[in-house]
């Protein structure tokens, strides 16, 4: 019996030593609910559904997507459905779904930024902040398992011919979540008021 235990310990240490030598350093056990990214193109999938995002390698241009666009960060999903342009605002119809089990998410629309024609040599680039009025999302809280739908407004863009929009939005909870949407506006029919 003692020989079997000793043999098991020796074999185990040989396997561990071989793994350390092959990989360089020992690694802690991986958390299967929060996989570690291997490279910048990897997008983790959670048990609750797909994680959709536009990965952006440092130094590269964001990949433009047609509406609707969806992005999920740590259990919170934001969908941009449509864009509306008025004389005073650039509005985005969005749905925020709080898929967390016990975290309340708050929206601060003042941190919305919109950039038109990012890195487009043929069109003028323009960046604006949030509109001073955002009735659908000012002070909005989204409870676990709930969602909120409405319009969030940035300031008006003066550029009439939009090729692309970069829309950035932050949400607060137990952590801050940043969302960045790269929207292809070519041939897009904007809603007008």
């Amino acid at each position: 019996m003692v020989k079997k235990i000793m043999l098991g310990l020796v074999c185990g240490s040989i396997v561990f030593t071989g793994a350390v030598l092959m990989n360089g350093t020992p690694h802690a056990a991986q958390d299967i609910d929060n996989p570690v990214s291997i490279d910048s193109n990897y997008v983790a999938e959670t048990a609750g559904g797909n994680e959709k995002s536009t990965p952006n390698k440092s130094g590269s241009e964001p990949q433009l997507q047609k509406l609707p666009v969806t992005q999920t960060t740590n259990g919170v999903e934001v969908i941009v459905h449509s864009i509306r342009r008025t004389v005073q605002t650039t509005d985005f119809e969005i749905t925020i779904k709080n898929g967390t089990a016990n975290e309340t998410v708050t929206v601060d629309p003042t941190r919305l930024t919109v950039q038109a024609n990012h890195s487009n040599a043929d069109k003028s680039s323009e960046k604006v902040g949030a509109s001073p009025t955002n009735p659908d999302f000012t002070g909005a809280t989204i409870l676990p398992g709930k969602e909120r739908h409405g319009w969030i407004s940035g300031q008006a863009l003066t550029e009439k011919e939009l090729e692309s929009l970069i829309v950035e939005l932050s949400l607060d909870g137990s952590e801050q979540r940043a969302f960045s949407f790269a929207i292809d506006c070519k041939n897009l029919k904007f809603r007008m008021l």
Side-chain angles (χ1 to χ4, degrees):
M1 178 72 150
V2 173
K3 287 183 180 181
K4 288 183 181 180
I5 293 173
M6 292 301 292
L7 182 61
L9 289 173
V10 170
C11 290
S13 66
I14 291 171
V15 170
F16 178 77
T17 304
V20 169
L21 291 174
M22 295 294 289
N23 292 325
T25 57
H27 296 285
Q30 296 291 322
D31 180 358
I32 60 172
D33 291 328
N34 297 305
V36 175
S37 173
I38 297 169
D39 64 41
S40 60
N41 288 325
Y42 177 80
V43 178
E45 285 193 8
T46 63
N50 293 333
E51 298 274 341
K52 299 176 186 175
S53 66
T54 307
N56 184 11
K57 297 178 186 176
S58 62
S60 68
E61 292 300 314
Q63 182 181 356
L64 298 177
Q65 296 180 314
K66 296 284 189 186
L67 291 178
V69 292
T70 302
Q71 201 173 102
T72 303
T73 301
N74 296 335
V76 177
E77 179 181 83
V78 177
I79 305 167
V80 179
H81 301 282
S82 64
I83 303 170
R84 176 176 66 197
R85 296 185 75 180
T86 71
V87 174
Q88 298 172 337
T89 61
T90 306
D91 307 322
F92 301 91
E93 181 187 17
I94 65 172
T95 300
I96 300 172
K97 297 180 181 180
N98 184 355
T100 65
N102 57 3
E103 183 180 357
T104 298
V105 175
T106 60
V107 182
D108 183 359
T110 64
R111 293 195 313 245
L112 175 75
T113 60
V114 181
Q115 183 171 4
N117 300 330
H118 173 71
S119 297
N120 188 323
D122 299 333
K123 307 284 182 191
S124 64
S125 182
E126 177 183 12
K127 189 171 187 176
V128 297
S131 169
T133 57
N134 263 297
D136 289 349
F137 287 99
T138 297
T141 59
I142 305 160
L143 298 174
K146 301 295 182 180
E147 67 180 59
R148 186 173 186 106
H149 179 89
W151 292 88
I152 191 163
S153 301
Q155 296 170 0
L157 293 163
T158 57
E159 177 63 40
K160 298 301 178 204
E161 295 181 28
L162 297 178
E163 293 287 319
S164 66
L165 287 174
I166 306 291
V167 180
E168 295 177 345
L169 175 66
S170 295
L171 304 178
D172 293 321
S174 61
E175 63 181 277
Q176 188 178 76
R177 292 170 174 84
F179 296 86
S180 182
F181 300 94
I183 301 170
D184 186 351
C185 297
K186 293 176 188 167
N187 304 317
L188 180 65
K189 301 292 184 196
F190 293 97
R191 293 187 180 189
M192 305 296 280
L193 277 183

